[in-house]
Amino acid sequence: YGLAAKAAGKPQQAVFAFERVVANQPGNARARLELAEALFQFGNRREARRLFDEVLATTPPEPVQQRIRSYQQAMESADKAQKTSVTGFVTLAGGHDSNISSTTDVATHDYLLVPITLQPQSLEADAGFVELRAGLNVVQPVNQRTLRFLTLNAQRRDNERLLSGNNFDYTTLGASGGWLLRRGAATWRIPLNVQALWAESPGAVNDDRYVFSAGIEYNRPLTSRTAVTWFGQGGNMHYPSEENRNAWMAVVGGGYTWNSAQQPLRVMTTLHLGTEPTEESGQAAEMNGRDYAALRANLRRSLSSTQSLYGAVGVQYSEYHDEIALSTWGVRKELLADVSLGWQLQLDRSWSVNLDLAHAVNASRGNELFDYDRTQVKLGSTWRF
């Protein structure tokens, strides 16, 4: 009866039968082995491990020993999967940025026959920079299909002089936590996010902000080489120094991942649609809200066991609710295009070196103050633990 229940995929009934066989025949090693396997299938790994050890102590034939060792390895893997994992990274990088403020290089503009001269801090300026990034990721299994996660990240960028306190330096801190749900081949991710940015831009608009959001992500493999992702997020952007800029935010999108069967090449594409309406009404508030759409493609190709190339290309179209007199077209529209290329050298399991080159062009219709080009070169090293 126990063997029939086990073969039928009913481990609870099999355990019930084998326990009675073992109780009546304590020396029946075969019954102990079958009970141990049924307990493993039922999810009682602790008792299954004890019985497997008892059977091994009797020095059974080699095929039986191999059978038991395969179960022991499976239990060790399952125990590791149930343990909380902590991973992190620290990156130190430096480079040169041709336009640290993402602004125009034209000092004088004419709007409605009124000449406007920009201050030096509002014009394009190049600078060397030092950047420090760090992150921590904690994953805790709740059961075989549910996990909890917490991600912390921080970034500090200083232009020209370390800790200079100006020149468009900035600091960001972020935290994301939530649940990861595995349902068959699909994975659901439900994150809650908090992010703070402190910008140090002398003479310019205070751009400090706090972002609070919640979202949901769905990922499902289509084949062994392709997968699809859908996501949505909503929240609030808060500017402590300029409350009229406070805005709600919502973004939806999808992605597609493809892995080549012939070459070590991976391509990921994403499409975002977002809106950021300001909380307050009126002309001063409307100029800060925007709607946007973004399309991006990332690729990565391994050159060897230690080297790889990666790159990205993206385009984003934005419409700002900018109805002030300075906008000759009434509504400011921007088209931002960027391209990047990078090379990674894996020194060992923990250390890697990255060289990155990126270029961006922003075209603005309605307010040429936002026309700019930007090129950045960066070399950095990352330690992962």
Side-chain angles (χ1 to χ4, degrees):
Y1 181 81
L3 291 172
K6 180 183 172 185
K10 299 179 180 179
Q12 186 175 11
Q13 296 181 22
V15 169
F16 179 83
F18 290 133
E19 283 179 338
R20 275 136 192 82
V21 176
V22 172
N24 286 281
Q25 304 175 30
N28 191 331
R30 170 70 186 281
R32 287 182 179 275
L33 177 61
E34 297 293 347
L35 175 58
E37 292 183 356
L39 286 167
F40 173 83
Q41 294 171 1
F42 187 58
N44 189 344
R45 293 197 298 271
R46 181 178 179 180
E47 187 64 17
R49 184 179 287 106
R50 183 184 68 81
L51 289 172
F52 279 132
D53 290 340
E54 289 182 1
V55 176
L56 274 179
T58 66
T59 315
E62 183 61 27
V64 176
Q65 294 185 35
Q66 293 179 359
R67 182 175 167 186
I68 293 175
R69 282 193 286 269
S70 66
Y71 276 103
Q72 290 176 330
Q73 292 174 357
M75 287 188 290
E76 289 178 4
S77 299
D79 289 342
K80 290 180 180 179
Q82 291 296 317
K83 292 181 180 179
T84 299
S85 67
V86 180
T87 58
F89 74 92
V90 177
T91 298
L92 179 63
H96 185 270
D97 194 326
S98 68
N99 192 348
I100 59 175
S101 58
S102 295
T103 50
T104 180
D105 60 350
V106 180
T108 303
H109 297 262
D110 291 330
Y111 287 96
L112 301 178
L113 303 180
V114 178
I116 295 177
T117 302
L118 300 179
Q119 298 296 320
Q121 61 267 17
S122 299
L123 291 172
E124 175 183 312
D126 67 324
F129 65 88
V130 175
E131 187 176 277
L132 178 64
R133 298 174 58 236
L136 188 69
N137 188 47
V138 182
V139 178
Q140 181 186 52
V142 177
N143 52 50
Q144 293 183 348
R145 300 200 302 168
T146 305
L147 302 94
R148 288 191 290 259
F149 68 89
L150 174 65
T151 301
L152 306 174
N153 59 79
Q155 180 175 352
R156 168 67 185 180
R157 170 159 166 161
D158 191 276
N159 298 294
E160 292 185 355
R161 294 183 301 276
L162 187 62
L163 301 179
S164 60
N166 55 24
N167 299 321
F168 295 93
D169 305 333
Y170 64 84
T171 303
T172 62
L173 295 175
S176 177
W179 297 267
L180 192 67
L181 311 177
R182 294 169 177 165
R183 298 296 182 265
T187 302
W188 293 86
R189 188 171 180 269
I190 306 174
L192 305 175
N193 311 297
V194 179
Q195 186 178 47
L197 181 145
W198 297 280
E200 300 166 8
S201 308
V205 175
N206 191 328
D207 205 33
D208 293 354
R209 74 191 74 168
Y210 303 96
V211 180
F212 309 90
S213 64
I216 187 168
E217 302 172 13
Y218 172 81
N219 179 273
R220 182 181 180 85
L222 300 178
T223 68
S224 60
R225 297 187 293 110
T226 61
V228 64
T229 302
W230 302 101
F231 53 87
Q233 189 178 79
N236 178 265
M237 302 173 63
H238 179 70
Y239 294 80
S241 300
E242 295 181 282
E243 293 188 355
N244 67 300
R245 299 180 66 189
N246 293 347
W248 300 106
M249 57 170 289
V251 59
V252 296
Y256 180 78
T257 302
W258 172 78
N259 294 275
S260 172
Q262 290 78 29
Q263 302 180 10
L265 176 65
R266 186 181 191 185
V267 179
M268 296 168 287
T269 58
T270 56
L271 172 65
H272 297 71
L273 300 175
T275 183
E276 296 173 3
T278 52
E279 295 179 359
E280 300 180 7
S281 60
Q283 187 174 5
E286 289 177 354
M287 63 177 284
N288 297 302
R290 67 165 182 158
D291 302 313
Y292 64 92
L295 179 63
R296 193 165 193 82
N298 297 269
L299 62 88
R300 188 178 190 93
R301 190 184 191 285
S302 297
L303 302 177
S304 67
S305 59
T306 59
Q307 298 185 62
S308 59
L309 286 176
Y310 53 91
V313 59
V315 60
Q316 177 173 297
Y317 173 77
S318 303
E319 283 193 3
Y320 291 79
H321 307 297
D322 189 353
E323 299 179 358
I324 58 177
L326 292 178
S327 295
T328 56
W329 295 94
V331 175
R332 176 159 62 98
K333 302 177 181 180
E334 290 187 359
L335 184 64
L336 172 65
D338 69 274
V339 60
S340 62
L341 182 65
W343 170 76
Q344 182 181 71
L345 174 63
Q346 196 72 37
L347 301 177
D348 59 28
R349 185 176 180 180
S350 302
W351 285 98
S352 62
V353 175
N354 291 69
L355 177 63
D356 298 274
L357 174 64
H359 182 71
V361 178
N362 191 68
S364 176
R365 178 188 180 190
N367 196 330
E368 288 76 14
L369 294 172
F370 298 93
D371 286 338
Y372 68 85
D373 292 358
R374 186 173 187 175
T375 301
Q376 180 176 277
V377 180
K378 181 169 64 174
L379 176 65
S381 179
T382 299
W383 174 57
R384 299 187 182 277
F385 58 90

Tab-separated table of all heavy atoms in Angstrom, residues 266-309:
chain	number	residue	atom	x	y	z
A	266	ARG	N	23.162	38.657	-25.382
A	266	ARG	CA	21.867	38.878	-24.749
A	266	ARG	C	21.372	40.276	-25.090
A	266	ARG	O	22.121	41.245	-24.994
A	266	ARG	CB	21.967	38.727	-23.232
A	266	ARG	CG	20.621	38.802	-22.515
A	266	ARG	CD	20.802	38.659	-21.019
A	266	ARG	NE	19.540	38.477	-20.334
A	266	ARG	CZ	19.391	38.426	-19.019
A	266	ARG	NH1	20.463	38.539	-18.246
A	266	ARG	NH2	18.204	38.252	-18.479
A	267	VAL	N	20.096	40.385	-25.494
A	267	VAL	CA	19.492	41.667	-25.856
A	267	VAL	C	18.227	41.855	-25.027
A	267	VAL	O	17.387	40.951	-24.941
A	267	VAL	CB	19.154	41.723	-27.359
A	267	VAL	CG1	18.508	43.058	-27.711
A	267	VAL	CG2	20.408	41.499	-28.198
A	268	MET	N	18.090	43.037	-24.430
A	268	MET	CA	16.912	43.373	-23.622
A	268	MET	C	16.313	44.683	-24.138
A	268	MET	O	17.039	45.670	-24.303
A	268	MET	CB	17.288	43.511	-22.152
A	268	MET	CG	17.793	42.231	-21.513
A	268	MET	SD	18.535	42.511	-19.893
A	268	MET	CE	20.075	43.312	-20.375
A	269	THR	N	15.023	44.713	-24.371
A	269	THR	CA	14.340	45.921	-24.822
A	269	THR	C	13.221	46.260	-23.846
A	269	THR	O	12.572	45.371	-23.286
A	269	THR	CB	13.740	45.726	-26.225
A	269	THR	OG1	12.831	44.615	-26.197
A	269	THR	CG2	14.828	45.444	-27.240
A	270	THR	N	12.991	47.559	-23.628
A	270	THR	CA	11.921	48.009	-22.737
A	270	THR	C	11.218	49.223	-23.347
A	270	THR	O	11.829	50.021	-24.060
A	270	THR	CB	12.461	48.405	-21.348
A	270	THR	OG1	13.481	49.406	-21.501
A	270	THR	CG2	13.030	47.202	-20.632
A	271	LEU	N	9.948	49.351	-23.031
A	271	LEU	CA	9.144	50.495	-23.435
A	271	LEU	C	8.437	51.032	-22.196
A	271	LEU	O	7.770	50.279	-21.476
A	271	LEU	CB	8.106	50.091	-24.483
A	271	LEU	CG	7.064	51.164	-24.853
A	271	LEU	CD1	7.758	52.346	-25.530
A	271	LEU	CD2	5.989	50.579	-25.760
A	272	HIS	N	8.594	52.357	-21.930
A	272	HIS	CA	7.968	53.005	-20.786
A	272	HIS	C	6.988	54.066	-21.279
A	272	HIS	O	7.285	54.805	-22.224
A	272	HIS	CB	9.000	53.719	-19.899
A	272	HIS	CG	10.005	52.820	-19.264
A	272	HIS	ND1	11.004	52.195	-19.963
A	272	HIS	CD2	10.168	52.442	-17.969
A	272	HIS	CE1	11.752	51.477	-19.135
A	272	HIS	NE2	11.266	51.612	-17.919
A	273	LEU	N	5.857	54.176	-20.618
A	273	LEU	CA	4.917	55.273	-20.807
A	273	LEU	C	4.631	55.851	-19.431
A	273	LEU	O	4.216	55.126	-18.518
A	273	LEU	CB	3.616	54.778	-21.458
A	273	LEU	CG	3.736	54.124	-22.836
A	273	LEU	CD1	2.387	53.576	-23.271
A	273	LEU	CD2	4.271	55.119	-23.852
A	274	GLY	N	4.863	57.159	-19.258
A	274	GLY	CA	4.727	57.740	-17.935
A	274	GLY	C	4.075	59.102	-17.939
A	274	GLY	O	4.017	59.797	-18.968
A	275	THR	N	3.572	59.489	-16.796
A	275	THR	CA	2.992	60.823	-16.600
A	275	THR	C	3.346	61.316	-15.208
A	275	THR	O	3.444	60.515	-14.266
A	275	THR	CB	1.463	60.795	-16.788
A	275	THR	OG1	0.952	62.132	-16.651
A	275	THR	CG2	0.789	59.888	-15.767
A	276	GLU	N	3.565	62.629	-15.093
A	276	GLU	CA	3.907	63.250	-13.818
A	276	GLU	C	3.100	64.545	-13.657
A	276	GLU	O	3.642	65.649	-13.761
A	276	GLU	CB	5.404	63.528	-13.739
A	276	GLU	CG	6.268	62.274	-13.760
A	276	GLU	CD	7.753	62.564	-13.857
A	276	GLU	OE1	8.116	63.772	-13.858
A	276	GLU	OE2	8.546	61.610	-13.935
A	277	PRO	N	1.800	64.455	-13.420
A	277	PRO	CA	0.989	65.659	-13.235
A	277	PRO	C	1.265	66.298	-11.875
A	277	PRO	O	1.404	65.605	-10.867
A	277	PRO	CB	-0.446	65.130	-13.317
A	277	PRO	CG	-0.332	63.714	-12.844
A	277	PRO	CD	1.007	63.227	-13.316
A	278	THR	N	1.364	67.635	-11.849
A	278	THR	CA	1.598	68.327	-10.593
A	278	THR	C	0.359	68.275	-9.718
A	278	THR	O	-0.768	68.194	-10.192
A	278	THR	CB	1.990	69.789	-10.840
A	278	THR	OG1	1.017	70.387	-11.702
A	278	THR	CG2	3.352	69.861	-11.493
A	279	GLU	N	0.578	68.347	-8.402
A	279	GLU	CA	-0.528	68.259	-7.458
A	279	GLU	C	-1.399	69.510	-7.497
A	279	GLU	O	-2.616	69.446	-7.331
A	279	GLU	CB	0.012	68.062	-6.043
A	279	GLU	CG	0.745	66.746	-5.852
A	279	GLU	CD	1.283	66.605	-4.446
A	279	GLU	OE1	1.091	67.536	-3.637
A	279	GLU	OE2	1.896	65.557	-4.146
A	280	GLU	N	-0.752	70.677	-7.706
A	280	GLU	CA	-1.484	71.935	-7.704
A	280	GLU	C	-1.855	72.341	-9.125
A	280	GLU	O	-1.205	71.951	-10.094
A	280	GLU	CB	-0.638	73.041	-7.059
A	280	GLU	CG	-0.259	72.746	-5.611
A	280	GLU	CD	0.583	73.853	-5.020
A	280	GLU	OE1	0.744	74.893	-5.697
A	280	GLU	OE2	1.075	73.688	-3.903
A	281	SER	N	-2.900	73.126	-9.253
A	281	SER	CA	-3.292	73.664	-10.551
A	281	SER	C	-2.718	75.063	-10.706
A	281	SER	O	-2.159	75.630	-9.783
A	281	SER	CB	-4.824	73.693	-10.664
A	281	SER	OG	-5.361	74.514	-9.641
A	282	GLY	N	-2.868	75.618	-11.898
A	282	GLY	CA	-2.346	76.953	-12.140
A	282	GLY	C	-1.127	76.918	-13.018
A	282	GLY	O	-0.479	75.890	-13.216
A	283	GLN	N	-0.787	78.099	-13.551
A	283	GLN	CA	0.282	78.186	-14.547
A	283	GLN	C	1.633	77.770	-13.985
A	283	GLN	O	2.366	77.017	-14.607
A	283	GLN	CB	0.355	79.616	-15.063
A	283	GLN	CG	1.312	79.795	-16.229
A	283	GLN	CD	1.242	81.204	-16.786
A	283	GLN	OE1	0.555	82.049	-16.252
A	283	GLN	NE2	1.953	81.434	-17.858
A	284	ALA	N	1.980	78.225	-12.775
A	284	ALA	CA	3.286	77.924	-12.208
A	284	ALA	C	3.457	76.442	-11.951
A	284	ALA	O	4.554	75.907	-12.034
A	284	ALA	CB	3.481	78.702	-10.910
A	285	ALA	N	2.360	75.761	-11.628
A	285	ALA	CA	2.439	74.322	-11.363
A	285	ALA	C	2.452	73.531	-12.657
A	285	ALA	O	3.175	72.553	-12.787
A	285	ALA	CB	1.269	73.893	-10.483
A	286	GLU	N	1.660	73.952	-13.636
A	286	GLU	CA	1.545	73.186	-14.878
A	286	GLU	C	2.866	73.102	-15.629
A	286	GLU	O	3.125	72.145	-16.338
A	286	GLU	CB	0.469	73.807	-15.773
A	286	GLU	CG	-0.947	73.603	-15.246
A	286	GLU	CD	-1.969	74.292	-16.130
A	286	GLU	OE1	-1.548	74.993	-17.062
A	286	GLU	OE2	-3.170	74.135	-15.862
A	287	MET	N	3.722	74.126	-15.476
A	287	MET	CA	4.972	74.125	-16.219
A	287	MET	C	5.915	73.000	-15.774
A	287	MET	O	6.876	72.675	-16.449
A	287	MET	CB	5.684	75.466	-16.056
A	287	MET	CG	6.088	75.790	-14.629
A	287	MET	SD	6.995	77.333	-14.465
A	287	MET	CE	8.591	76.855	-15.084
A	288	ASN	N	5.606	72.381	-14.625
A	288	ASN	CA	6.492	71.352	-14.109
A	288	ASN	C	6.023	69.935	-14.432
A	288	ASN	O	6.802	68.994	-14.350
A	288	ASN	CB	6.624	71.497	-12.587
A	288	ASN	CG	7.251	72.822	-12.205
A	288	ASN	OD1	8.347	73.136	-12.601
A	288	ASN	ND2	6.503	73.621	-11.447
A	289	GLY	N	4.766	69.747	-14.758
A	289	GLY	CA	4.285	68.415	-15.080
A	289	GLY	C	4.726	67.985	-16.468
A	289	GLY	O	5.069	68.803	-17.322
A	290	ARG	N	4.720	66.682	-16.712
A	290	ARG	CA	5.127	66.195	-18.029
A	290	ARG	C	4.523	64.821	-18.296
A	290	ARG	O	4.137	64.088	-17.383
A	290	ARG	CB	6.644	66.108	-18.145
A	290	ARG	CG	7.275	65.049	-17.258
A	290	ARG	CD	8.692	64.763	-17.683
A	290	ARG	NE	9.311	63.719	-16.869
A	290	ARG	CZ	10.347	62.970	-17.229
A	290	ARG	NH1	10.892	63.168	-18.419
A	290	ARG	NH2	10.838	62.050	-16.428
A	291	ASP	N	4.449	64.477	-19.576
A	291	ASP	CA	4.104	63.145	-20.049
A	291	ASP	C	5.259	62.680	-20.931
A	291	ASP	O	5.857	63.481	-21.658
A	291	ASP	CB	2.806	63.161	-20.860
A	291	ASP	CG	1.638	63.713	-20.060
A	291	ASP	OD1	1.474	63.298	-18.907
A	291	ASP	OD2	0.910	64.576	-20.595
A	292	TYR	N	5.566	61.393	-20.896
A	292	TYR	CA	6.724	60.938	-21.660
A	292	TYR	C	6.564	59.486	-22.097
A	292	TYR	O	5.777	58.720	-21.546
A	292	TYR	CB	8.014	61.096	-20.844
A	292	TYR	CG	8.080	60.244	-19.600
A	292	TYR	CD1	8.654	58.974	-19.624
A	292	TYR	CD2	7.564	60.709	-18.397
A	292	TYR	CE1	8.718	58.198	-18.492
A	292	TYR	CE2	7.623	59.935	-17.249
A	292	TYR	CZ	8.202	58.687	-17.303
A	292	TYR	OH	8.264	57.903	-16.163
A	293	ALA	N	7.340	59.143	-23.127
A	293	ALA	CA	7.432	57.777	-23.626
A	293	ALA	C	8.899	57.498	-23.919
A	293	ALA	O	9.605	58.351	-24.469
A	293	ALA	CB	6.597	57.594	-24.892
A	294	ALA	N	9.376	56.308	-23.555
A	294	ALA	CA	10.793	55.986	-23.709
A	294	ALA	C	10.951	54.568	-24.233
A	294	ALA	O	10.249	53.650	-23.793
A	294	ALA	CB	11.529	56.138	-22.378
A	295	LEU	N	11.861	54.404	-25.152
A	295	LEU	CA	12.183	53.093	-25.726
A	295	LEU	C	13.684	52.878	-25.569
A	295	LEU	O	14.480	53.773	-25.873
A	295	LEU	CB	11.800	53.043	-27.202
A	295	LEU	CG	12.093	51.737	-27.952
A	295	LEU	CD1	11.279	50.594	-27.363
A	295	LEU	CD2	11.793	51.900	-29.438
A	296	ARG	N	14.054	51.684	-25.100
A	296	ARG	CA	15.462	51.436	-24.822
A	296	ARG	C	15.828	50.000	-25.169
A	296	ARG	O	15.018	49.082	-25.002
A	296	ARG	CB	15.772	51.706	-23.340
A	296	ARG	CG	17.256	51.765	-23.028
A	296	ARG	CD	17.523	52.396	-21.672
A	296	ARG	NE	18.923	52.725	-21.506
A	296	ARG	CZ	19.488	53.815	-21.971
A	296	ARG	NH1	18.760	54.705	-22.621
A	296	ARG	NH2	20.779	54.050	-21.786
A	297	ALA	N	17.063	49.816	-25.633
A	297	ALA	CA	17.581	48.483	-25.939
A	297	ALA	C	18.970	48.347	-25.325
A	297	ALA	O	19.813	49.241	-25.459
A	297	ALA	CB	17.657	48.262	-27.443
A	298	ASN	N	19.201	47.251	-24.614
A	298	ASN	CA	20.490	46.951	-24.002
A	298	ASN	C	20.992	45.623	-24.543
A	298	ASN	O	20.204	44.688	-24.757
A	298	ASN	CB	20.364	46.853	-22.479
A	298	ASN	CG	19.934	48.155	-21.842
A	298	ASN	OD1	20.747	48.971	-21.456
A	298	ASN	ND2	18.627	48.343	-21.731
A	299	LEU	N	22.284	45.531	-24.736
A	299	LEU	CA	22.868	44.265	-25.192
A	299	LEU	C	24.163	43.998	-24.437
A	299	LEU	O	24.842	44.910	-23.972
A	299	LEU	CB	23.102	44.267	-26.698
A	299	LEU	CG	24.073	45.296	-27.284
A	299	LEU	CD1	25.498	44.768	-27.291
A	299	LEU	CD2	23.654	45.671	-28.700
A	300	ARG	N	24.470	42.713	-24.326
A	300	ARG	CA	25.697	42.292	-23.660
A	300	ARG	C	26.247	41.069	-24.377
A	300	ARG	O	25.497	40.127	-24.653
A	300	ARG	CB	25.440	41.972	-22.188
A	300	ARG	CG	26.715	41.717	-21.384
A	300	ARG	CD	26.409	41.446	-19.924
A	300	ARG	NE	27.631	41.432	-19.136
A	300	ARG	CZ	28.134	42.479	-18.497
A	300	ARG	NH1	27.488	43.638	-18.541
A	300	ARG	NH2	29.268	42.392	-17.810
A	301	ARG	N	27.555	41.097	-24.662
A	301	ARG	CA	28.197	39.980	-25.354
A	301	ARG	C	29.489	39.612	-24.641
A	301	ARG	O	30.340	40.465	-24.388
A	301	ARG	CB	28.511	40.331	-26.808
A	301	ARG	CG	28.960	39.120	-27.621
A	301	ARG	CD	29.366	39.506	-29.028
A	301	ARG	NE	29.550	38.342	-29.890
A	301	ARG	CZ	30.589	37.518	-29.834
A	301	ARG	NH1	31.565	37.741	-28.949
A	301	ARG	NH2	30.661	36.483	-30.655
A	302	SER	N	29.620	38.338	-24.299
A	302	SER	CA	30.837	37.853	-23.659
A	302	SER	C	31.911	37.628	-24.717
A	302	SER	O	31.665	36.986	-25.743
A	302	SER	CB	30.560	36.551	-22.912
A	302	SER	OG	29.621	36.758	-21.873
A	303	LEU	N	33.106	38.154	-24.457
A	303	LEU	CA	34.236	37.951	-25.347
A	303	LEU	C	35.064	36.746	-24.920
A	303	LEU	O	35.657	36.063	-25.746
A	303	LEU	CB	35.120	39.198	-25.378
A	303	LEU	CG	34.431	40.494	-25.820
A	303	LEU	CD1	35.407	41.649	-25.723
A	303	LEU	CD2	33.878	40.361	-27.225
A	304	SER	N	35.101	36.516	-23.613
A	304	SER	CA	35.825	35.385	-23.046
A	304	SER	C	35.270	35.146	-21.652
A	304	SER	O	34.266	35.745	-21.255
A	304	SER	CB	37.328	35.673	-22.995
A	304	SER	OG	37.605	36.711	-22.077
A	305	SER	N	35.921	34.284	-20.894
A	305	SER	CA	35.456	34.006	-19.532
A	305	SER	C	35.675	35.186	-18.607
A	305	SER	O	35.074	35.247	-17.528
A	305	SER	CB	36.183	32.781	-18.980
A	305	SER	OG	37.598	33.001	-18.961
A	306	THR	N	36.507	36.157	-19.001
A	306	THR	CA	36.810	37.296	-18.131
A	306	THR	C	36.438	38.649	-18.733
A	306	THR	O	36.477	39.654	-18.030
A	306	THR	CB	38.316	37.321	-17.785
A	306	THR	OG1	39.078	37.409	-19.002
A	306	THR	CG2	38.706	36.064	-17.026
A	307	GLN	N	36.102	38.710	-20.028
A	307	GLN	CA	35.825	39.986	-20.662
A	307	GLN	C	34.456	39.967	-21.354
A	307	GLN	O	34.029	38.948	-21.883
A	307	GLN	CB	36.897	40.325	-21.695
A	307	GLN	CG	38.291	40.486	-21.128
A	307	GLN	CD	39.276	40.932	-22.195
A	307	GLN	OE1	39.142	42.010	-22.775
A	307	GLN	NE2	40.274	40.097	-22.463
A	308	SER	N	33.819	41.126	-21.353
A	308	SER	CA	32.532	41.250	-22.032
A	308	SER	C	32.337	42.694	-22.475
A	308	SER	O	32.891	43.634	-21.887
A	308	SER	CB	31.381	40.818	-21.122
A	308	SER	OG	31.352	41.597	-19.937
A	309	LEU	N	31.555	42.861	-23.532
A	309	LEU	CA	31.147	44.168	-24.037
A	309	LEU	C	29.661	44.358	-23.777
A	309	LEU	O	28.882	43.401	-23.824
A	309	LEU	CB	31.415	44.275	-25.540
A	309	LEU	CG	32.857	44.431	-26.008
A	309	LEU	CD1	32.911	44.416	-27.534
A	309	LEU	CD2	33.477	45.713	-25.463
